[in-house]
Amino acid sequence: MRPTTFPPRSTRTPADTPPRLTDVLPAPARVEPAAGVEFILTPGTTIRTTPGPEASAVGRHLAELLRRPTGYPLPVVTAGQADGPGGISLLLTGDDGATGRSRTPQPGGAGSAEGYHLEISPSGVVARARTATGLFYAVQTLWQLLPPKVESARRQPGPWAIPGGTIDDHPRFGYRGAMLDVARHFFAVPDVLRFVDHLARYKVNHLHLHLTDDQGWRIAIDSWPRLASVGGSTEVDGGPGGYYTKEQYAEIVAYAAARHITVVPEIDLPGHTNAALNAYGELAPDGVAPPEYTGTDVGFSAVAVDNERTYRFIDDVLGEVAALTPGRYLHIGGDEAFTLDRAAYTRFMNRVQRIVTGHGKRVLGWHQLAVAEHSTGRVVQYWGTSTEDPVVAEAVRNGAKVLLSPGNRSYLDMKYSAATPLGKDWAGLVEVRDAYDWDPGDYLAGVPAEAVLGVEAPLWTETVRTVGDIEFMTFPRLPAIAELGWSPARSRDWADFRRRLAGHGLRWSTAGIAFHRSPEVPWAGSTPVVPEPRSAGSTAEATGASTTSTPGSGPPPADDRPLPIA
């Protein structure tokens, strides 16, 4: 029974007040609130899971999220036939989690590979899913439905109320990603793991790591050791750089996998290779190692595409990375190889694609790769600012899938405004509404929805040096891209999204997460700002924004600085 000593919603502080069932990000496929109904977490609450390691791992994850702020023991136990009401049940379906009996029919969300069905009543919480991934996403939703103080690193007083009702949920697209560039500026393992946790909050399921570029090589390769020891010793502005040992990379992969996130490693070829050429000059077109590079220009480097040693190098590198990577994709870059003509570029990429598939992986590359021959399962990642690309459309007709990352919509390194202290503006200024107000299913001419693998939000780090910088450029735009990838197209509504997003500011502040306080969002505790109707002028297509980066002019407004990490 619901304790009568807890204050009603109207008298609770913002940190104590649970969100409404309709406040979840990304928006679920179907939500049915139960007016006036709440489940109260208590010191006696248990977490019950289907027998087996997968469901129990999700249960332990939920317990770890909740024990610190609540102080409750929250034991994780195996669900059984004799269980009474109460507690939180995490059940894998297909079989009845507690009894092994077949459950028919399945709730809609629980029937898809990443979907789930969540029921919240005064007597308990029940999450059902066909896979552990679906259960994990049910847990992310449940966490969002607790009051913002659940984000605290210290024990907080109750009550711990969760709004009642049912949620049926499943994703629109199978690939929902974010990219972290660790080549321009290197980020240590704990920084990457923190970023992984941010992705998990919003049901993002792929982490694309940009591991190599002109400024640094970030993964150890046993057969070519100078790639890390020499190529990894630099970064933009002449910092110390760094690289991941194979054990450290494996740690990132395992940590992400425990949060149902697949790591997609990128070895950028044939350009963006100055760090590799500096380590092994024999791979350069003239056979001479270039000096290390710590600037931010692009397009000036390329490996020797007519040298057989180059292909031995690529085979060795991709083979070692493939062996460390359980996911199906190897990203081979392919962008901005300005020193090569089309024939040489195409010949090179055709051969590299065959090396990828020879190691049992599928090819993923930036959309310039579209000129190369089709490879089974190939994906081209579109980062342009136009809604038309005939070459990409032709690649789709030949069987390719498209991962959408339009620069003027999803690039997290673009400035929010001219006063933003970080970022670039070659694709335009990208505020939250720019990131949200487009439909991946009909964005690119000649690319039907069924050819869209999903969406990805890349964060390039030429100007990003700290975890606070990462978060400031990521939030609040990441939830916008995550919602485009997860939620049904029919649910896309800017007014509703900004209302839901506003409540997450307090959660981020409580968790010590830096974020941009966009004037487009009525952040909790502040006077709502109603945005003017959008004009086309905020994107590069309409404004003709510079195609080269320019630094921010002057100090940012007081409320638009990257916040310190608590």
Side-chain angles (χ1 to χ4, degrees):
M1 298 294 292
R2 180 179 176 225
T4 57
T5 55
F6 291 156
R9 176 184 286 268
S10 60
T11 62
R12 294 171 181 164
T13 68
D16 289 332
T17 303
R20 303 180 191 278
L21 205 68
T22 53
D23 288 346
V24 174
L25 287 175
R30 185 173 66 85
V31 180
E32 294 183 0
V37 172
E38 290 180 336
F39 172 75
I40 303 297
L41 204 66
T42 71
T45 299
T46 61
I47 298 173
R48 305 164 182 163
T49 72
T50 300
E54 291 190 330
S56 63
V58 177
R60 290 193 301 273
H61 179 76
L62 175 60
E64 290 166 5
L65 289 174
L66 300 182
R67 283 171 181 155
R68 183 175 58 186
T70 66
Y72 298 163
L74 298 168
V76 180
V77 301
T78 300
Q81 283 182 316
D83 288 344
I88 299 171
S89 297
L90 305 176
L91 306 178
L92 287 174
T93 56
D95 287 332
D96 185 286
T99 68
R101 294 175 306 200
S102 176
R103 287 185 50 85
T104 54
Q106 294 288 341
S112 68
E114 295 183 285
Y116 64 91
H117 179 79
L118 188 61
E119 302 173 10
I120 304 165
S121 70
S123 61
V125 175
V126 180
R128 294 185 175 91
R130 185 161 64 86
T131 67
T133 300
L135 278 187
F136 182 82
Y137 292 147
V139 162
Q140 300 309 307
T141 294
L142 192 61
W143 189 25
Q144 284 192 28
L145 291 173
L146 282 154
K149 63 185 177 181
V150 77
E151 304 279 356
S152 177
R154 298 179 179 86
R155 183 173 177 175
Q156 301 294 311
W160 297 99
I162 302 172
T166 61
I167 293 176
D168 254 325
D169 202 10
H170 55 86
R172 181 184 182 191
F173 294 108
Y175 189 117
R176 305 171 305 280
M179 188 207 79
L180 182 61
D181 169 13
V182 296
R184 269 52 177 271
H185 282 102
F186 179 68
F187 292 91
V189 171
D191 301 336
V192 178
L193 302 189
R194 182 176 173 97
F195 190 68
V196 168
D197 283 331
H198 296 336
L199 305 188
R201 284 174 176 269
Y202 297 105
K203 304 181 178 73
V204 173
N205 67 351
H206 286 80
L207 169 63
H208 171 183
L209 285 177
H210 184 74
L211 292 167
T212 68
D213 214 298
D214 293 313
Q215 299 84 353
W217 184 284
R218 306 303 182 203
I219 187 167
I221 301 296
D222 292 341
S223 54
W224 298 77
R226 287 172 57 84
L227 290 172
S229 62
V230 176
S233 66
T234 57
E235 65 181 10
V236 168
D237 298 331
Y243 64 89
Y244 307 119
T245 65
K246 286 189 168 182
E247 293 75 18
Q248 288 173 323
Y249 178 78
E251 180 185 356
I252 294 170
V253 169
Y255 189 90
R259 285 143 186 82
H260 299 268
I261 293 171
T262 299
V263 171
V264 179
E266 180 184 354
I267 305 298
D268 206 348
L269 297 163
H272 292 276
T273 47
N274 194 83
L277 304 181
N278 175 248
Y280 290 98
E282 63 266 36
L283 301 175
D286 60 2
V288 177
E292 46 184 55
Y293 183 70
T294 60
T296 60
D297 288 339
V298 299
F300 59 88
S301 64
V303 295
V305 298
D306 295 320
N307 185 338
E308 281 303 308
R309 186 166 175 78
T310 296
Y311 296 99
R312 280 200 306 278
F313 157 76
I314 293 169
D315 190 34
D316 289 342
V317 169
L318 295 184
E320 291 192 34
V321 173
L324 293 170
T325 305
R328 64 174 58 180
Y329 295 110
L330 287 185
H331 200 302
I332 54 174
D335 62 320
E336 298 172 327
F338 298 150
T339 64
L340 299 178
D341 62 33
R342 177 165 175 158
Y345 173 86
T346 302
R347 186 171 64 253
F348 174 84
M349 296 309 285
N350 287 346
R351 190 163 173 182
V352 172
Q353 287 186 125
R354 291 192 289 272
I355 294 173
V356 171
T357 58
H359 288 291
K361 300 297 184 181
R362 295 185 181 181
V363 171
L364 204 166
W366 301 109
H367 71 266
Q368 286 77 14
L369 177 66
V371 300
E373 66 188 17
H374 180 62
S375 171
T376 302
R378 182 174 71 154
V379 178
V380 294
Q381 184 169 3
Y382 181 75
W383 59 276
T385 59
S386 170
T387 57
E388 296 184 3
D389 190 309
V391 179
V392 171
E394 177 63 22
V396 167
R397 285 190 289 273
N398 290 330
K401 296 287 188 181
V402 176
L403 179 61
L404 284 167
S405 300
N408 54 346
R409 297 291 186 176
S410 70
Y411 265 38
L412 300 178
D413 59 307
M414 291 298 105
K415 291 174 176 287
Y416 295 99
S417 71
T420 304
L422 303 173
K424 296 190 170 188
D425 67 353
W426 65 263
L429 305 175
V430 181
E431 252 292 358
V432 185
R433 188 165 186 178
D434 299 306
Y436 182 78
D437 225 356
W438 59 288
D439 181 1
D442 65 3
Y443 181 78
L444 200 56
V447 178
E450 58 268 23
V452 176
L453 183 68
V455 293
E456 183 177 285
L459 177 58
W460 302 99
T461 60
E462 290 96 330
T463 69
V464 173
R465 297 169 176 83
T466 68
V467 171
D469 291 348
I470 289 174
E471 292 174 348
F472 178 74
M473 300 304 283
T474 297
F475 293 106
R477 291 181 290 199
L478 176 68
I481 301 300
E483 180 147 310
L484 294 179
W486 180 278
S487 304
R490 68 176 184 279
S491 70
R492 184 167 54 88
D493 180 274
W494 165 246
D496 182 64
F497 174 75
R498 66 189 286 267
R499 176 193 65 77
R500 288 178 286 119
L501 185 63
H504 283 243
L506 182 54
R507 303 183 78 90
W508 299 333
S509 294
T510 303
I513 297 171
F515 67 101
H516 163 62
R517 296 178 184 272
S518 169
E520 297 185 330
V521 179
W523 302 106
S526 62
T527 303
V529 177
V530 179
E532 294 293 327
R534 300 296 288 177
S535 68
S538 63
T539 66
E541 291 174 85
T543 62
S546 170
T547 56
T548 58
S549 63
T550 57
S553 55
D559 64 348
D560 202 27
R561 297 178 187 271
L563 303 180
I565 302 301

